[in-house]
Amino acid sequence: MSPIDPHSFTESAHPFTTHVSLSLYFDFPSSTIHAAALLSLSRQHSGDLSLDTRSLSIHKVLDPLTVTPIPFSLPQQDPVKGQNLTVTLSHQDSLLVLYTTSPSSSALQWLSPPQTFKKTHPFVYTQCHAIHARSVFPCHDTPAARIRYSARLNIPRQLSAVMSAKHCDRRDPVAGDVSEGFTDDVGFNLQALWSAKGRVVEEFVMEQPIPPYLFAFAVGELGFREVGPRTRVYSEAVNGVLDSAAKEFAGTDEMIRQGEKLFGEYVWERFDLLVLPPSFPYCGMENPRMVFLTPTVIRGDSSGARVVAHELAHSWTGNLITNKNNEHFWLNEGFTTYAERRIVEVVQGEDRATLNIGIGWRSLNEEVERFMDNLEFTKLRTNQEGVDPDAVRSQIPYEKGFQFLFRIERQIGRAAFDEFIKKYISTFKFKSIDTETFLDFLKANVPGIEKDIDLKLWTEGTGIPPDDLNRIPREDEVADWKGQGWELYLENLPKSVEASQVLALDAVYKLSESKDYEIKVAFLELAISARCRHYYGEVEKTLKEVGRRSYLRPLYKALVQGTENEEEKVLAKRVFAEARKCYHPIAQGLVESVFAKYL
């Protein structure tokens, strides 16, 4: 027996979980969830079975048919993988786990009313990628083990819930929703809590097999706007946020239609969007049926639609076909970046797609420079044994993966590559694969490709292959673009500019006041590099009002790197101490890693 994933305790010879039925009681005062998880296995099993958990209090493990105890053990926590919940089965193909999540769950952020837009009700949401589903429910937390699930969410009646699943019902709770095994001997009686006054149950079902990291929910005072036959935009029930989001993403259905023309049927039925509070640590998360977005993508000029195009593209590459584990993450993100740019090219024009490629090329070079002291993570196929995937997350799987696929397209021609991609998706849909499987499929369907392109160099080599890579766009190609044009301009400026030049630039174009955070953060990073202290107040304000990783990293890094930046280091430490509680645990870990490297 051997693990199939360096980030999971799942054993290759054991049956996988195929379905999870969850009953979740949300206790906002304690920032915990009291829960029952019924796990169904692919076959009967006798002996030990390993499940991934992190920071879960396991109360009981029961046989769901007889309600008799199943022996289990929970050893010390591994710093990356969490705890191995080992259950001992006897010709059983299902088990019921009764447990409570931790207030420090790495997947959950609990927001008090003052941390929300309306400041009236609390809010909670998940971020399970890459290996955080295990802190919400015990599971085989590896993309290799795809699951279907159903869920009952018991929440305060004044709130509502959304999930990466089909909504079935909103109803009063009944005692029969919860297992009889969850009684007073675990410290509380969930059956009594479940049916208490002022509660409501929201029911969901995911009928298609997905990797556990795509499990997602959000609970709060939510509203929505219809923006298309398959799309609603959700957010907290704030008219200004909802109206701005609906305007920004009005073209979503056209993107879906173009995606179907390029990559085949959209199989997930709905493509709804949830704009989360500013603390959300990523740009977007491709949860099926319910994409999560940071509010910073709402820029007022529809340029945030590029993010939606990326998350939509995941509906085919990432959600439908998934990397077997995080060592092959480029199969998700390289393909999706390619697919995103094809969608953008059709919907927004070739010039916009070319601009995005140029910005991506710049980002790739910067990321390779970032990992010069650990070139392993400049490869497409990486070795992540003992490595936290959040600690090495970068744009390399996205942009180097894109460049590899773009290189193949240029070699065989777009028409032939389009047919290849459609066949690839059709062959491997609802499967999880590795790099070797992709390369075998490529060589079988494009005979002789290995003679024209060094496939091993691209997938196993470090850095950027010395190949015919894509060029950065000329000035006349980006002259008409406002948001991304400015982003590219700022990123290409030398970091040695004088403070007076920064002030002069801002005096004309007011970049420090931009509502486009891509522009604003790039400008503030430049200001810090120039030690233009005039903007440090704006830097502090920005770090306190958003929690997106791609904004936190460059600003905190700019503040703390360099031996002469003592004033900036003091500022960074003070701001983080004051803003930390508003950041998601993933974002907190990112800032701490920046400090560990540079302080």
Side-chain angles (χ1 to χ4, degrees):
M1 292 190 299
S2 61
I4 61 171
D5 186 327
H7 303 122
S8 174
F9 294 108
T10 304
E11 296 284 350
S12 59
H14 289 172
F16 290 171
T17 304
T18 57
H19 188 276
V20 181
S21 179
L22 292 164
S23 298
L24 306 175
Y25 178 91
F26 288 73
D27 186 2
F28 279 92
S30 67
S31 297
T32 60
I33 300 172
H34 304 305
L38 173 61
L39 279 63
S40 300
L41 306 177
S42 58
R43 55 179 168 82
Q44 284 190 346
H45 182 68
S46 292
D48 289 347
L49 179 78
S50 295
L51 295 167
D52 297 305
T53 72
R54 180 185 289 119
S55 303
L56 298 181
S57 297
I58 307 297
H59 304 303
K60 293 180 180 181
V61 181
L62 304 172
D63 183 316
L65 299 178
T66 63
V67 200
T68 55
I70 292 175
F72 72 91
S73 63
L74 200 64
Q76 289 289 91
Q77 181 149 305
D78 178 273
V80 174
K81 294 190 287 188
Q83 289 178 288
N84 180 357
L85 173 58
T86 304
V87 297
T88 304
L89 303 179
S90 178
H91 303 289
Q92 290 155 308
D93 61 5
S94 61
L95 61 150
L96 179 66
V97 185
L98 310 178
Y99 67 96
T100 300
T101 65
S102 166
S104 60
S105 165
S106 60
L108 297 171
Q109 183 167 23
W110 299 83
L111 301 177
S112 63
Q115 294 174 293
T116 64
F117 282 115
K118 289 191 73 173
K119 307 188 183 308
T120 304
H121 296 291
F123 195 101
V124 63
Y125 68 90
T126 56
Q127 174 54 40
C128 289
H129 192 272
I131 55 170
H132 301 288
R134 65 194 68 185
S135 69
V136 182
F137 62 100
C139 57
H140 292 120
D141 195 5
T142 168
R146 303 175 77 98
I147 58 169
R148 295 174 172 87
Y149 73 85
S150 59
R152 300 186 185 106
L153 280 58
N154 186 305
I155 61 177
R157 185 172 291 276
Q158 64 268 35
L159 305 183
S160 57
V162 294
M163 289 197 79
S164 58
K166 181 179 181 179
H167 186 257
C168 300
D169 199 9
R170 178 180 171 95
R171 59 170 176 79
D172 291 334
V174 294
D177 289 338
V178 184
S179 165
E180 295 178 4
F182 222 143
T183 50
D184 292 310
D185 60 341
V186 299
F188 50 86
N189 189 322
L190 185 59
Q191 285 186 317
L193 290 172
W194 190 270
S195 302
K197 186 178 179 181
R199 307 290 295 192
V200 69
V201 170
E202 302 254 28
E203 291 193 57
F204 299 85
V205 61
M206 169 47 72
E207 298 170 329
Q208 295 147 309
I210 62 170
Y213 72 78
L214 291 177
F215 175 87
F217 61 70
V219 177
E221 186 184 9
L222 300 174
F224 67 86
R225 296 285 187 271
E226 301 279 359
V227 296
R230 289 179 278 192
T231 304
R232 287 177 172 176
V233 174
Y234 290 81
S235 78
E236 289 184 64
V238 178
N239 288 334
V241 177
L242 286 166
D243 293 340
S244 296
K247 182 179 179 181
E248 188 81 20
F249 308 128
T252 299
D253 195 64
E254 174 64 14
M255 287 188 175
I256 299 173
R257 290 197 298 269
Q258 295 301 331
E260 288 184 307
K261 290 180 182 178
L262 289 166
F263 310 118
E265 179 189 6
Y266 180 81
V267 303
W268 305 98
E269 186 182 5
R270 299 286 305 174
F271 184 73
D272 292 326
L273 309 171
L274 171 64
V275 178
L276 284 165
S279 59
F280 183 56
Y282 293 114
C283 187
M285 182 63 209
E286 65 269 19
N287 309 308
R289 302 181 66 103
M290 184 62 66
V291 165
F292 285 5
L293 296 168
T294 170
T296 61
V297 302
I298 303 174
R299 300 167 183 167
D301 61 0
S302 299
S303 62
R306 182 196 64 79
V307 177
V308 173
H310 184 88
E311 307 311 332
L312 170 64
H314 269 301
S315 302
W316 293 275
T317 55
N319 298 2
L320 201 55
I321 305 176
T322 308
N323 50 233
K324 190 174 183 179
N325 61 53
N326 214 65
E327 294 183 328
H328 308 274
F329 188 45
W330 81 272
L331 287 171
N332 276 23
E333 295 299 351
F335 262 99
T336 297
T337 302
Y338 176 86
E340 164 216 318
R341 287 170 183 163
R342 292 293 304 278
I343 294 171
V344 167
E345 181 180 312
V346 175
V347 176
Q348 296 186 324
E350 186 176 349
D351 286 350
R352 177 63 67 94
T354 302
L355 175 62
N356 291 347
I357 292 171
I359 293 172
W361 171 246
R362 172 77 179 185
S363 175
L364 175 58
N365 280 272
E366 290 178 347
E367 293 284 53
V368 169
E369 180 66 26
R370 173 185 156 207
F371 284 101
M372 285 302 292
D373 58 347
N374 196 343
L375 289 172
E376 174 66 26
F377 301 109
T378 68
K379 299 176 181 178
L380 289 183
R381 200 274 192 226
T382 58
N383 180 355
Q384 296 192 16
E385 187 67 45
V387 175
D388 184 343
D390 287 332
V392 294
R393 186 181 176 95
S394 78
Q395 289 296 305
I396 290 170
Y398 298 72
E399 297 299 342
K400 186 175 179 180
F402 165 80
Q403 292 289 352
F404 178 37
L405 297 172
F406 194 41
R407 175 69 180 88
I408 299 170
E409 181 205 283
R410 295 200 307 277
Q411 183 64 42
I412 68 175
R414 173 165 286 191
F417 194 58
D418 283 352
E419 291 305 310
F420 170 81
I421 287 184
K422 288 178 180 177
K423 186 174 181 181
Y424 168 71
I425 293 171
S426 175
T427 301
F428 295 109
K429 64 182 179 181
F430 295 115
K431 294 179 181 178
S432 300
I433 67 171
D434 56 20
T435 301
E436 290 69 32
T437 301
F438 168 74
L439 293 177
D440 288 344
F441 184 78
L442 174 65
K443 288 183 282 189
N445 286 274
V446 187
I449 189 68
E450 68 274 21
K451 297 177 183 178
D452 298 313
I453 300 175
D454 190 335
L455 304 179
K456 185 174 182 179
L457 179 64
W458 269 103
T459 55
E460 299 181 28
T462 60
I464 305 171
D467 210 330
D468 177 25
L469 293 174
N470 207 51
R471 61 180 175 78
I472 296 176
R474 301 185 308 272
E475 284 188 21
D476 61 316
E477 292 176 311
V478 302
D480 293 335
W481 300 113
K482 296 181 180 178
Q484 290 178 312
W486 271 114
E487 182 186 348
L488 186 62
Y489 168 78
L490 290 167
E491 288 180 347
N492 279 281
L493 280 175
K495 299 303 180 184
S496 58
V497 297
E498 298 290 334
S500 59
Q501 294 173 289
V502 174
L503 287 165
L505 182 66
D506 194 46
V508 177
Y509 296 110
K510 309 296 183 187
L511 302 181
S512 65
E513 302 172 15
S514 175
K515 294 181 180 180
D516 184 335
Y517 276 85
E518 301 290 342
I519 297 174
K520 186 174 187 177
V521 170
F523 175 78
L524 292 177
E525 185 182 1
L526 183 72
I528 296 168
S529 298
R531 304 191 75 178
C532 189
R533 295 181 175 88
H534 176 81
Y535 295 103
Y536 285 8
E538 194 62 39
V539 171
E540 178 174 348
K541 178 184 175 184
T542 301
L543 289 171
K544 287 181 175 179
E545 68 186 10
V546 298
R548 183 171 160 186
R549 288 166 48 107
S550 59
Y551 299 153
L552 299 183
R553 183 195 297 278
L555 291 181
Y556 276 112
K557 179 182 174 183
L559 287 170
V560 300
Q561 69 179 352
T563 56
E564 73 285 357
N565 288 15
E566 291 306 318
E567 178 182 339
E568 289 79 4
K569 291 176 181 178
V570 170
L571 173 64
K573 288 188 282 188
R574 177 180 63 77
V575 170
F576 182 52
E578 295 173 1
R580 177 190 176 95
K581 63 180 181 296
C582 295
Y583 293 162
H584 187 281
I586 294 173
Q588 293 174 10
L590 178 141
V591 179
E592 289 167 351
S593 70
V594 171
F595 284 4
K597 184 172 183 178
Y598 294 104
L599 288 179

